[in-house]
Every structure is written in structure tokens, then in C-alpha cells.
Amino acid sequence: MISVQAWSDAQRLWDFQQMHHEPRPCSAGIVLGGRGPGVVGTAVELYRRRMVPVVVVAGGAAGERVVELGVPAGAVLVAPDAPDADGAIRGARALLDGRGVEVASVLLVTGPYAERGAHAAARAVWPEAEVVVASPPLTLREYVDAVQDVRLVFDILVGAQQRLPLAGREAPGAVAEAYGRLCAEGFTGRVVPA
């Protein structure tokens, strides 16, 4: 059973991770976490709204799914799978550079729990590009219902918070306290060992 305090703490991390950027036209879209609920669908919707002329996905399965949902194959680039956002963004940048695509701005599409980390990774890998982040418009409860595993979602939230670069981890006191309580309750399945 998950305590009311744990739900409250998870909600605090969920809210902190989201950057609330307004999607706007960018040079390229990059899909991060294409297996997460709604991520691929959100990327396709942004393409349809002409926010990006090209969509870069990591891994062939996500690329196939983007095409199935209506993005023309010629507008989809498939980068190698990567173990993290940093690697995926590096792969996307190399692929776009190799194709001669000039990138002044990138629209990252990721899970709602990972916006802040994706933004930090893109700023580190692509400091000269404007970075906009979007995610499926899901509440924490909706995301838990989609994944059907509350402990996994809480583990993911704690892991995402832990992996933020130092500047991002210097969160408001209430966020740091929520993170600490969730760790103490054992939601550490996605924490990287120190």
C-alpha cells in the first residue's frame, strides 16, 4: 500500500520535473523515451502541427511506430538506441549533422517525469541550440494508470530526480525533502549507485 505522504511526495517530484514549455516551431524534433505512454503520439501530433520538419527517434521500433501513426518515412531519422538522454541527444545531433540539417532549435519529446533532465542534457550536448521540451499531457495518476505499476513509476521519478545535473538537483527545499522521503521508503529501483 502506498501512503498518502508518498503520493504527495511523488506529485511534488512530478510537478518539479515539468518545465511547462509552450511547443513552438523548431529545426528538429527528438523523441526520448519512445516506449513511455503517449510519447510517440505526442511527437506525431507536434509533427502534424508543423512544429518540426523532421523527427529523430532512437531505435527502429519507435521509428516504425512514428511512421505507422502518420509521419512520412522521409521525415523520420532513426538514431541508434542509447542508454540515457545524453546518449540519445548526442546520437540525434550526430545524425542531423551527418545529414547536413542546420539546427538552431530542438523540440524534445519525453515522458512528463523527465522534462527537466532532458532539457539539461540537451543544453550540455547542444549549448548553441534553443531547447524546448514537450511531453504527453498526463497527470501523475493517469501516468500510473497507463503504466499499471505505481511502485515502478515512483522509482522512475526518484531516479529521474537523482540523475539531474547538480544545478538541477539543487531543487527547492520541499522537492529535496520529498525526494529524501521517497528514497527512505525504498523507491530506489531506478537510482544509480554512487
Side-chain angles (χ1 to χ4, degrees):
M1 171 115 176
I2 307 296
S3 71
V4 171
Q5 182 65 58
W7 272 103
S8 176
D9 289 339
Q11 184 67 56
R12 190 169 302 277
L13 294 187
W14 181 267
D15 293 343
F16 177 70
Q17 284 289 338
Q18 294 180 35
M19 300 192 69
H20 306 286
H21 287 174
E22 186 64 36
R24 57 187 169 273
C26 291
S27 306
I30 301 173
V31 178
L32 303 171
R35 290 180 219 102
V39 174
V40 168
T42 298
V44 170
E45 177 61 26
L46 291 167
Y47 176 83
R48 286 184 183 141
R49 290 175 45 201
R50 300 180 188 270
M51 295 292 161
V52 294
V54 62
V55 177
V56 182
V57 297
E64 290 171 12
R65 186 72 181 128
V66 168
V67 171
E68 287 171 8
L69 291 174
V71 177
V76 178
L77 300 176
V78 179
D81 272 327
D84 56 25
D86 185 72
I89 294 166
R90 285 183 193 286
R93 181 174 188 171
L95 188 60
L96 290 163
D97 286 348
R99 299 280 174 104
V101 177
E102 290 189 36
V103 176
S105 56
V106 292
L107 178 56
L108 304 176
V109 184
T110 190
Y113 62 86
E115 285 189 16
R116 196 170 291 275
H119 185 268
R123 296 295 304 136
V125 170
W126 229 322
E128 70 278 12
E130 176 188 5
V131 179
V132 180
V133 184
S135 65
L138 298 170
T139 66
L140 174 58
R141 293 257 180 196
E142 290 168 338
Y143 194 84
V144 167
D145 288 347
V147 173
Q148 298 183 346
D149 187 339
V150 67
R151 291 199 68 84
L152 174 61
V153 172
F154 285 20
D155 282 348
I156 289 169
L157 279 166
V158 169
Q161 185 69 29
Q162 184 227 13
R163 286 186 298 280
L164 284 176
L166 183 58
R169 282 197 307 258
E170 293 172 358
V175 173
E177 291 167 9
Y179 169 78
R181 282 190 297 269
L182 288 168
C183 286
E185 285 198 39
F187 296 104
T188 55
R190 295 293 176 101
V191 168
V192 178

